[in-house]
Amino acid sequence: MSTAEDGGTDIDLDFIISTAASVSIDKTLGDSKDLSVWPNPAADQLNWNIENTRVERVELISLMGQRVYESDRPEKELPLTGLPDGVYFIRISRDSKLWVKKFVVSR
């Protein structure tokens, strides 16, 4: 800090911020061809299927990254009531695998 010519105080704002962080993803992406989603675009209901896979969690994510639906007891038919028209992603997970597919809500 120093005194300015006008009698005020100058504040030295030069500083260094140093951060060290590691980011890891604990799930690997499954082949999106294994995940079927229909109809697309959807109006009131979205159907999905993954052959020979027990699913643990289903989430619907908005284009802005907001989770708009999630279930630990996934149904193969998801109601879209209340979702505004737009682009969304269905994210399905099991153990260390994750499947993601884009779909559109349009009425």
Side-chain angles (χ1 to χ4, degrees):
M1 219 179 325
S2 63
T3 303
E5 290 179 19
D6 64 358
T9 303
D10 285 340
I11 300 173
D12 185 5
L13 295 178
D14 292 333
F15 55 91
I16 298 172
I17 296 175
S18 176
T19 60
S22 67
V23 177
S24 66
I25 298 174
D26 60 351
K27 295 199 181 274
T28 58
L29 286 177
D31 190 345
S32 65
K33 291 182 270 181
D34 294 341
L35 173 59
S36 300
V37 176
W38 73 95
N40 194 8
D44 300 314
Q45 177 177 305
L46 183 71
N47 303 293
W48 64 271
N49 187 48
I50 296 179
E51 292 295 325
N52 303 321
T53 300
R54 184 182 56 81
V55 171
E56 294 173 348
R57 179 180 215 81
V58 173
E59 299 168 291
L60 300 181
I61 311 294
S62 73
L63 196 57
M64 300 301 292
Q66 180 183 20
R67 185 180 304 125
V68 295
Y69 172 87
E70 69 179 306
S71 176
D72 292 334
R73 289 184 234 146
E75 298 293 324
K76 300 257 182 172
E77 300 171 351
L78 304 175
L80 301 177
T81 310
L83 287 183
D85 289 4
V87 177
Y88 296 85
F89 296 91
I90 182 169
R91 184 165 58 185
I92 297 176
S93 58
R94 176 186 160 256
D95 298 329
S96 62
K97 284 241 182 188
L98 180 69
W99 293 266
V100 179
K101 195 158 249 185
K102 180 173 68 171
F103 70 96
V104 174
V105 173
S106 180
R107 294 181 180 89

